[in-house]
Amino acid sequence: MARNLLLAAVVAVAAVVIVGAYAATVLMREDNGGSVNYLRMPPATMAASLSGGGIDGYIAWEPFVSEAIVGHTGEVLFWSEDIMPEHPCCVVAVSQDFLDQPNGPEVTKRFLKAHLEATQWMVDAMADTTSDEYALLKTLAMEFTTRNESVVEEALKHLEFRYAVDAAMLSGLETFVDMYIETNQTTLAAVQGRGYGSVEDLVVTYVNETYLEGAVSVAPASSPLTPVVRAGYLLGDLHQLAYYVAWNGRVLGGEQSLFQKYGVVVENASGAPYANGGVVMDNFAGGNVDIGYLGAPPALIKHITIGTKIVIVAQVNIEGSGLVVRSGSGIQDIEDLVNRTIATPGETSIQHLLLKIALDREGLDLVLKT
Amino acid sequence: MIISVKDLRKVFTKERREVVALDGFDLEVLESEFVCLLGPSGCGKTTVLRIIAGLESKTSGQVLVHGKEVASSRPRVGMVFQEFALFPWRSSKKNVEFGLEVRHVPRDGRSKVADKYLDLVGLSGFAEAHPHELSGGMKQRVAIARALANEPEVLLMDEPFGSLDAQTRNLMQRELLRIWAATRKTVLFVTHSVDEAVFLADRIVVMTARPGKERESIEVLLPRPRDRTSPEFIAVRSRVLSELDEEFEKARARELSHSPEVKNNA
Amino acid sequence: MNAILKWFKKMPRSQWKLILLVASILLFIGVWYAVSWWTELRDPVQGSLVPPPDEVASSFYWLLSNKDRATGIYLFQHMFTSLERVFLGFALAFALALPSGLLMGRSWVAEGLARPIVEIFRPIPPLAWAPAFLIIFKIFWGPVAVVFLGVFFPILFNVMLGARSVDRTLIDAARTLGARRSDVFTKVVLPYTVPYLMTGVTVGLGIGWMCIVAAEFVSAEGGGLGYFILANSDFGYYPEMYAGMVLIGILSVLTTGLAGLFEREVYKRMGMD
Ligand SMILES: Nc1ncnc2c1ncn2[C@@H]1O[C@H](COP(=O)(O)OP(=O)(O)OP(=O)(O)O)[C@@H](O)[C@H]1O
Ligand SMILES: [Mg+2]
């Protein structure tokens, strides 16, 4: 008898909770007036989802934008530079633990020297699309992203690789943090809690140019210097091609890679390449990654929220993301995105942030698709 | 004549080997007669019952129940198994109602019939009990009630009391005779116990070792209730026993001649 | 002293069980605190990566009436989304696995036909399908399909096992009582299979929860608890993340507990206590 009552009570409570939650959820579903729906999705599945009709558009890094253009499944509504010219994108970060090791700063400089030269080589190669270097660049890009030649060729048109730390980068990072504070995703108090007087202070301290400056004078080394660098980077992110270029022997026309040339031993961190920048930050925190390539916003937000001790030492690229909408979807400007579903690589990704900024200017909200 | 079996043959194919279970088996059972089937293990007693019940096909021969060929129409027979075969998820009453349910008898009718037969087997107080709450003897009573509730022409019983203890077994034998007297059903009863056969039967059919056929049909003319200690009872018992012993010997001899195979199986 | 000892000895098993349950929960919370303090000690500047239970509890409380910072909707919306998908995936799997299992258990033709296909799909972890299903079945039904797969096989195989092991004499008894093939199926094979079915259901529900969370890690309309956890992890909102994990634990205990109660009730109704 008692057991029956208990059963009845449990079922009743469960029923009330479920029905109540359902009612509330359904009510909230209607409350989507002037907003655009978003959904986190791995960029690698975005183009397929777009053509399958699961989503109306997506914002992602290259080559996933060009993949849709070349495949004629989508059209670019806007490029990220249309929203924020010269916005920073991917950065190189080093863990403080690594810098605290005896040879840590020296190895970091050597690593950056290779990164710098790789970036310069790419910039030069892209200046002349008839050169042998450009052909090799395309081959490397195809290997790195596992995408075909036409996709890679299209994508390279929209990329600008830049290692230097400049004013545009610093102001971009400031904008990102301001945005996080504005949307209550973090607070100025949290920033100050990490020992920074202001957002500006955070950015200028967090970005440390000294290693990049020191890298300029690094000379080719006859023997490698330890510790070994465990490097983290993102899966199929063409922005981070510099890593693959520095790592690859073919660039110098022989067996030796740029990393080897400057006497630094680099290996992929366990689990790398990673799905997104948040995961790179987790692996920094877990001590699995010494130097990592990742988007600037995840590097910023987790440094604030959980205090992951890293410093940003160089840029990787600027711009180079795009919002793709399905061909024939009738979406011609930002207002047409209302009530459509746009996939982003995740709430902390730079693409998500840029989309939010773009919608904000039109007075539109970005809300999770429910 | 309610059951008429003529020249029945049954061959089982087991792993490409043929086993002749029955060959030239004849049997005739009269209306309301209580016949016991005795024979060495493996001589085909169960097979005979299953063929009469329509659960197994025959290889050749003729099997008539109430003058109708079994192969073409499933006869209305009740069967009681040694393992009780009650549906554990149904109460006693629901078990008894099963046959009526599948014949689409309306709920009221089912209930009435079930009550009647539960009462007949002395279990009216256990209508709502489930099999796991009943003793072995009670379970077999439910099974008998279930078979009778279907109003069968014949009741086939395959060692129904084989798994009961001696006391319960004796009680159940008396109960069965009471029920039989009340319903006047024809009963074909398989047993390994000569004592049981002599106590129950109007007629005992002793089968030969495999392939089984009728060896001897012995009328038991003792009045009921029978006294197991009476000289007449013991005389009939001895007679049946000696018939059986010979068949046991034959079966054993054949088994020994197949001994390599037996060893292989062991 | 002696009196206390005696009192302890006299305590019935049920009370002991209650004490052990409380002790086990306390032990768990204690270990949690210890881990949290230890990670804090190890790195005081960065702070603990494992928030202590009270911090998780208060963030859970906060989430009850506030929109989650990472995804901008309420935790209970995520919860409902997950529940809805687990329920749908489960219901579909149940509806398909039960008849297929019965058929495969009772008919060698059906088994011969279906078994090879089933055996090809079975060893593939349902989670491996998540990205593919996202594309094929889109953002709502994709995760549901992952749950479906996770629940389908445990039910199918348990039902098949049950249907195959039906006591022969029960079927014979039914047939002598005049049951046709369809009666045997619905009145003997089906009820006989119920306990096996319930085992499959309990196992399937557990797997269903694992599947939904992992599928939502990939992507899912309306978020869901897996989505909630991943998004909060990306932002480094660890108390929220752990609150989501605890909620999944609670929900899965509740659903399997409900299945257990239901199972006991069914057994009682069927008289198979
Ligand atoms: N389904 C079957 N397949 C193959 N052989 C069978 C089958 N059923 C029975 N047999 C064989 O047929 C013979 C007769 O079997 P049956 O069960 O009728 O004997 P029985 O007289 O009832 O034996 P017992 O006294 O041990 O119950 C045996 O040799 C048995 O092995
Ligand atoms: Mg037998």
Side-chain angles (χ1 to χ4, degrees):
Chain A
M1 193 61 214
R3 192 196 283 177
N4 275 348
L5 276 178
L6 181 76
L7 182 76
V10 169
V11 171
V13 169
V16 167
V17 167
I18 291 173
V19 171
Y22 181 71
T25 306
V26 167
L27 285 179
M28 304 223 159
R29 271 180 195 169
E30 288 160 9
D31 179 30
N32 263 3
S35 54
V36 178
N37 299 316
Y38 82 89
L39 198 63
R40 159 206 292 272
M41 191 178 277
T45 60
M46 285 177 178
S49 272
L50 185 74
S51 62
I55 52 176
D56 302 306
Y58 62 82
I59 183 161
W61 58 74
E62 285 289 11
F64 303 115
V65 180
S66 296
E67 192 178 13
I69 303 176
V70 171
H72 298 293
T73 50
E75 293 150 10
V76 175
L77 185 65
F78 57 74
W79 289 99
S80 56
E81 58 260 40
D82 302 336
I83 301 166
M84 199 176 175
E86 289 195 68
H87 72 80
C89 184
C90 289
V91 296
V92 181
V94 190
S95 88
Q96 191 60 51
D97 284 346
F98 187 74
L99 290 172
D100 290 343
Q101 289 184 46
N103 287 325
E106 182 55 30
V107 173
T108 303
K109 283 178 201 160
R110 291 180 176 208
F111 185 99
L112 287 179
K113 176 70 173 180
H115 169 67
L116 180 161
E117 261 194 41
T119 308
Q120 196 55 54
W121 181 85
M122 291 194 296
V123 171
D124 294 345
M126 282 161 67
D128 179 5
T129 52
T130 58
S131 65
D132 291 347
E133 281 79 9
Y134 183 73
L136 177 57
L137 179 70
K138 272 199 305 190
T139 308
L140 294 178
M142 282 156 62
E143 288 172 11
F144 189 57
T145 61
T146 68
R147 292 301 189 273
N148 65 34
E149 184 170 359
S150 38
V151 171
V152 163
E153 208 163 275
E154 179 69 31
L156 285 172
K157 284 186 212 160
H158 305 288
L159 286 184
E160 184 173 345
F161 298 106
R162 179 185 294 183
Y163 60 83
V165 171
D166 52 20
M169 175 192 184
L170 296 178
S171 89
L173 298 191
E174 259 182 74
T175 307
F176 294 153
V177 178
D178 287 339
M179 187 87 188
Y180 281 132
I181 292 174
E182 205 177 296
T183 54
N184 284 326
Q185 286 178 315
T186 191
T187 57
L188 189 59
V191 171
Q192 285 160 346
R194 294 287 166 205
Y196 304 110
S198 62
V199 172
E200 195 190 347
D201 184 27
L202 162 75
V203 169
V204 297
T205 316
Y206 193 34
V207 180
N208 188 332
E209 284 172 81
T210 52
Y211 300 99
L212 195 59
E213 283 158 4
V216 178
S217 56
V218 168
S222 49
S223 63
L225 189 66
T226 53
V228 171
V229 174
R230 294 164 305 160
Y233 62 102
L234 298 190
L235 179 67
D237 187 345
L238 193 53
H239 294 173
Q240 303 180 355
L241 186 60
Y243 174 67
Y244 192 63
V245 167
W247 183 86
N248 203 286
R250 276 170 286 172
V251 174
L252 296 181
E255 291 296 291
Q256 210 184 25
S257 73
L258 280 165
F259 285 137
Q260 286 163 339
K261 178 179 170 188
Y262 293 105
V264 47
V265 186
V266 179
E267 62 181 31
N268 280 355
S270 75
Y274 301 112
N276 63 37
V279 183
V280 178
M281 288 302 280
D282 286 338
N283 280 283
F284 268 127
N288 292 328
V289 168
D290 300 317
I291 299 183
Y293 286 73
L294 73 165
L300 288 165
I301 186 71
K302 272 203 161 164
H303 180 65
I304 299 167
T305 55
I306 60 170
T308 306
K309 285 176 300 173
I310 59 171
V311 288
I312 294 174
V313 290
Q315 280 205 97
V316 175
N317 73 309
I318 61 166
E319 306 170 346
S321 294
L323 186 114
V324 177
V325 294
R326 183 156 7 95
S327 304
S329 64
I331 299 172
Q332 266 149 23
D333 53 36
I334 292 190
E335 274 99 4
D336 293 337
L337 292 176
V338 169
N339 287 332
R340 303 289 190 133
T341 302
I342 307 298
T344 81
E347 285 83 351
T348 59
S349 67
I350 185 152
Q351 291 77 16
H352 189 91
L353 216 51
L354 289 169
L355 176 58
K356 219 164 153 177
I357 291 169
L359 294 176
D360 205 37
R361 286 183 194 149
E362 308 295 326
L364 297 172
D365 288 333
L366 185 61
V367 299
L368 181 63
K369 162 80 175 152
T370 53
Chain B
M1 203 162 359
I2 192 153
I3 300 175
S4 165
V5 180
K6 279 209 187 76
D7 201 20
L8 177 62
R9 181 178 161 85
K10 175 67 189 180
V11 183
F12 286 108
T13 320
K14 202 171 167 183
E15 287 156 19
R16 289 163 189 260
R17 241 168 14 93
E18 293 202 332
V19 176
V20 185
L22 297 166
D23 196 15
F25 178 81
D26 297 306
L27 178 71
E28 297 200 328
V29 182
L30 301 173
E31 186 103 38
S32 298
E33 199 180 11
F34 198 128
V35 173
C36 276
L37 212 50
L38 266 173
S41 187
C43 73
K45 303 181 292 294
T46 298
T47 307
V48 168
L49 291 201
R50 288 176 61 85
I51 291 174
I52 293 173
L55 293 174
E56 197 90 66
S57 64
K58 61 182 192 245
T59 306
S60 67
Q62 190 189 47
V63 180
L64 303 179
V65 174
H66 236 106
K68 267 185 264 162
E69 187 65 48
V70 166
S72 52
S73 71
R74 180 97 66 80
R76 221 167 152 143
V77 299
M79 188 141 173
V80 177
F81 304 82
Q82 180 176 350
E83 312 87 343
F84 316 127
L86 295 180
F87 306 114
W89 54 87
R90 286 174 168 250
S91 64
S92 305
K93 188 165 172 181
K94 288 274 175 210
N95 261 286
V96 176
E97 285 182 16
F98 186 92
L100 305 162
E101 216 175 285
V102 296
R103 282 171 215 271
H104 304 295
V105 175
R107 196 178 286 267
D108 289 355
R110 289 205 307 253
S111 178
K112 242 180 244 151
V113 174
D115 286 339
K116 176 178 146 198
Y117 283 100
L118 277 174
D119 192 42
L120 178 69
V121 299
L123 278 183
S124 1
F126 291 86
E128 293 315 316
H130 279 86
H132 69 100
E133 298 167 288
L134 302 175
S135 71
M138 289 158 107
K139 279 184 203 160
Q140 205 54 294
R141 284 168 199 253
V142 174
I144 291 168
R146 180 175 71 178
L148 291 174
N150 233 13
E151 321 248 274
E153 289 146 338
V154 180
L155 195 56
L156 304 172
M157 306 182 86
D158 192 0
E159 302 181 47
F161 308 146
S163 60
L164 303 180
D165 63 90
Q167 239 129 1
T168 313
R169 191 175 181 145
N170 283 349
L171 174 70
M172 288 301 292
Q173 287 166 3
R174 286 197 300 277
E175 284 286 291
L176 179 60
L177 286 178
R178 179 181 63 75
I179 293 163
W180 174 65
T183 59
R184 303 307 301 171
K185 293 284 175 203
T186 308
V187 179
L188 183 54
F189 188 108
V190 167
T191 178
H192 271 126
S193 160
V194 175
D195 182 80
E196 186 168 69
V198 178
F199 185 76
L200 294 172
D202 289 332
R203 190 154 59 88
I204 298 172
V205 174
V206 179
M207 288 177 69
T208 65
R210 192 168 53 99
K213 57 172 179 279
E214 185 181 315
R215 174 191 162 93
E216 189 69 73
S217 174
I218 302 163
E219 303 260 358
V220 186
L221 297 167
L222 306 172
R224 293 185 177 96
R226 289 171 185 168
D227 177 1
R228 290 175 208 265
T229 54
S230 70
E232 296 87 345
F233 191 98
I234 293 168
V236 180
R237 237 183 79 162
S238 317
R239 160 127 193 256
V240 176
L241 261 177
S242 67
E243 297 275 350
L244 256 181
D245 275 346
E246 266 180 54
E247 287 305 321
F248 275 128
E249 275 311 311
K250 264 203 254 169
R252 213 164 62 89
R254 207 192 29 212
E255 245 168 51
L256 285 178
S257 75
H258 284 77
S259 54
E261 194 186 293
V262 170
K263 264 182 206 142
N264 281 345
N265 289 347
Chain C
M1 190 66 221
N2 244 347
I4 295 174
L5 222 72
K6 227 183 232 162
W7 183 72
F8 264 124
K9 274 189 187 146
K10 259 199 287 194
M11 218 158 48
R13 175 69 64 93
S14 61
Q15 273 182 32
W16 268 115
K17 278 192 174 162
L18 202 68
I19 289 179
L20 289 175
L21 177 71
V22 172
S24 130
I25 292 173
L26 288 179
L27 185 74
F28 171 70
I29 292 177
V31 169
W32 185 348
Y33 266 115
V35 171
S36 171
W37 277 327
W38 181 69
T39 56
E40 173 102 50
L41 270 180
R42 216 180 45 155
D43 199 341
V45 179
Q46 179 175 279
S48 178
L49 294 179
V50 183
D54 56 301
E55 208 174 303
V56 172
S58 66
S59 108
F60 188 85
Y61 182 74
W62 185 85
L63 285 165
L64 289 182
S65 51
N66 289 282
K67 286 184 174 172
D68 146 54
R69 288 181 294 165
T71 62
I73 64 173
Y74 290 101
L75 177 60
F76 74 82
Q77 288 177 284
H78 286 294
M79 180 186 87
F80 177 72
T81 306
S82 290
L83 272 174
E84 187 184 25
R85 274 194 284 251
V86 168
F87 176 77
L88 282 173
F90 177 83
L92 286 175
F94 186 93
L96 205 73
L98 178 57
S100 323
L102 287 174
L103 216 62
M104 284 172 71
R106 295 308 305 175
S107 145
W108 61 269
V109 179
E111 185 184 355
L113 210 61
R115 191 72 186 240
I117 304 170
V118 167
E119 290 298 337
I120 288 170
F121 282 96
R122 184 161 72 135
I124 305 172
L127 305 180
W129 288 99
F133 283 171
L134 188 68
I135 292 163
I136 302 169
F137 299 114
K138 321 250 165 80
I139 52 182
F140 182 81
W141 289 100
V144 172
V146 178
V147 175
F148 170 86
L149 263 196
V151 177
F152 182 76
F153 288 111
I155 296 187
L156 180 80
F157 278 91
N158 275 287
V159 168
M160 199 166 87
L161 183 71
R164 197 178 287 155
S165 56
V166 175
D167 196 346
R168 258 231 75 84
T169 58
L170 288 185
I171 294 177
D172 286 343
R175 286 178 62 197
T176 61
L177 290 165
R180 286 170 303 269
R181 268 185 80 92
S182 60
D183 295 321
V184 168
F185 219 76
T186 55
K187 290 181 192 289
V188 182
V189 176
L190 185 61
Y192 192 94
T193 311
V194 165
Y196 295 85
L197 173 68
M198 293 312 289
T199 307
V201 163
T202 316
V203 173
L205 271 178
I207 297 180
W209 271 108
M210 281 193 239
C211 288
I212 194 60
V213 170
E216 286 165 353
F217 269 19
V218 180
S219 182
E221 181 176 340
L225 290 170
Y227 191 108
F228 171 88
I229 287 170
L230 197 64
N232 278 285
S233 153
D234 274 359
F235 276 99
Y237 302 152
Y238 290 158
E240 282 93 335
M241 179 182 87
Y242 280 98
M245 286 159 63
V246 169
L247 183 58
I248 287 172
I250 293 171
L251 285 176
S252 118
V253 166
L254 274 183
T255 40
T256 39
L258 219 59
L261 275 177
F262 184 65
E263 184 178 5
R264 260 197 299 188
E265 204 57 18
V266 168
Y267 285 3
K268 213 164 66 186
R269 292 271 151 81
M270 293 179 61
M272 300 196 291
D273 265 329

